[in-house]
Amino acid sequence: MTSQPLASRSSSHASGRAVATMVGAMGCFVFNDATVKHVSQSMPSAQLIFVRGVIATVLVLLVAYRLGALRQIGAVLHPRVALRGAIDACATMLYLVSLFQLPIANATAINLAAPLFMTVFAVLFLGERAGRARWIAVVLGFVGVVCIVRPSGDGFNGWALLCLLGTLFHATRDLMTRRIDPAIPSIIITLATALAVTLLSGALTVASGWKPFALRELALLGVAAAFLASGYFLLVQCMRAGEVSLTAPFRYTAVLFATLLGYAIWDEVPGGSAWAGIALLVGSGLYMLHDERERRRAAVLDAQPE
């Protein structure tokens, strides 16, 4: 009689950890973006991504060594791991190239459509059941994002389609994470991603040229690389442990982190529509967690003998 409740509590804890790792990953990515945005004022973009990628790769290698995972370093060439890394590298470059040509609000809104794609992909390809609550949470979260970033109609053009393609690549990357052999450590998957982004940006740097930079820029990129590597690892952990349709809406927390960071560093005060969007984001997340708790509770009651 106690095995089912214990199993349910274990499943609930696993879901909670998956949500927490998604939120943590989004926080890391936002702090990385803020640091890179500052450095980009004095360094070419491709070179910046390359230098950051080299540092991130070294950091991940050190962590993999400490974890004893380097014995499986050959797994970076595993077809699914390598393909995931290549897709991630392409997604990163597509998003950045379009970002240079679009208002940042438009690019952000398009990129945060990823949870919609992820939920659809999870239902179509992973066999997950996304109930009404999850679809409501995803849609409300996206409406909240639009309220915060307030994209302008003039900014949607061919570059916006390129940005949308990058978003589809990001969603595909996360879908592929679920298909990778669980025996391959998450840190090795993280290493493959860092290597792929570094190699692609390195090739672009060779084509565009090199610009000398100061020690200050190198130190800031070291900080950005630490946040980026942590975000990669947490996202891999999340995609491997939690249901995609459950964790996808919590990707929207990136906007909350960005809003708070904008206020703390650049003194950017959210307006009325931004506060409404924040309320929708928080509400959709709480609604998702409440529905998940009720679903687990119902499963426990159904499993108990009469």
Side-chain angles (χ1 to χ4, degrees), residues 25-181:
M26 294 304 103
C28 287
F29 287 142
V30 168
F31 277 96
N32 160 72
D33 290 345
T35 307
V36 167
K37 177 181 178 181
H38 180 72
V39 179
S40 66
Q41 299 173 1
S42 57
M43 186 184 295
S45 299
Q47 179 181 332
L48 181 156
I49 298 169
F50 172 69
V51 174
R52 183 195 63 176
V54 170
I55 299 173
T57 300
V58 171
L59 290 175
V60 174
L61 275 171
L62 289 174
V63 174
Y65 171 76
R66 294 290 296 177
L67 294 176
L70 288 183
R71 293 189 299 270
Q72 295 177 261
I73 194 171
V76 298
L77 299 178
H78 185 282
R80 289 186 178 178
V81 175
L83 180 58
R84 181 194 180 279
I87 290 174
D88 197 357
C90 292
T92 299
M93 300 312 299
L94 285 170
Y95 175 69
L96 290 177
V97 168
S98 59
L99 177 62
F100 300 152
Q101 306 295 331
L102 288 171
I104 190 170
N106 294 64
T108 302
I110 295 169
N111 193 45
L112 285 175
L116 290 170
F117 296 127
M118 289 168 63
T119 303
V120 172
F121 288 171
V123 172
L124 293 178
F125 302 114
L126 296 181
E128 292 187 9
R129 294 182 179 180
R132 183 179 61 181
R134 295 189 181 184
W135 286 113
I136 290 174
V138 168
V139 173
L140 284 181
F142 183 69
V143 171
V145 169
V146 173
C147 287
I148 293 172
V149 301
R150 290 178 294 177
S152 60
D154 294 339
F156 287 99
N157 47 38
W159 293 109
L161 294 178
L162 192 66
C163 187
L164 182 63
L165 180 60
T167 301
L168 284 168
F169 270 60
H170 275 131
T172 303
R173 170 204 65 189
D174 292 337
L175 180 72
M176 288 195 65
T177 307
R178 306 276 292 187
R179 301 291 190 181
I180 294 176
D181 185 353

Side-chain angles (χ1 to χ4, degrees), residues 16 31 40 65 70 92 108-109 158 171 175 198-199 210 212 217 221-222 228 234 247 254-255 261 281 300:
F31 277 96
S40 66
Y65 171 76
L70 288 183
T92 299
T108 302
L175 180 72
T198 302
L199 290 174
W210 185 268
E217 278 81 10
L221 288 179
L228 181 68
L234 289 172
T247 58
V255 175
L261 202 60
L281 284 172
V300 171

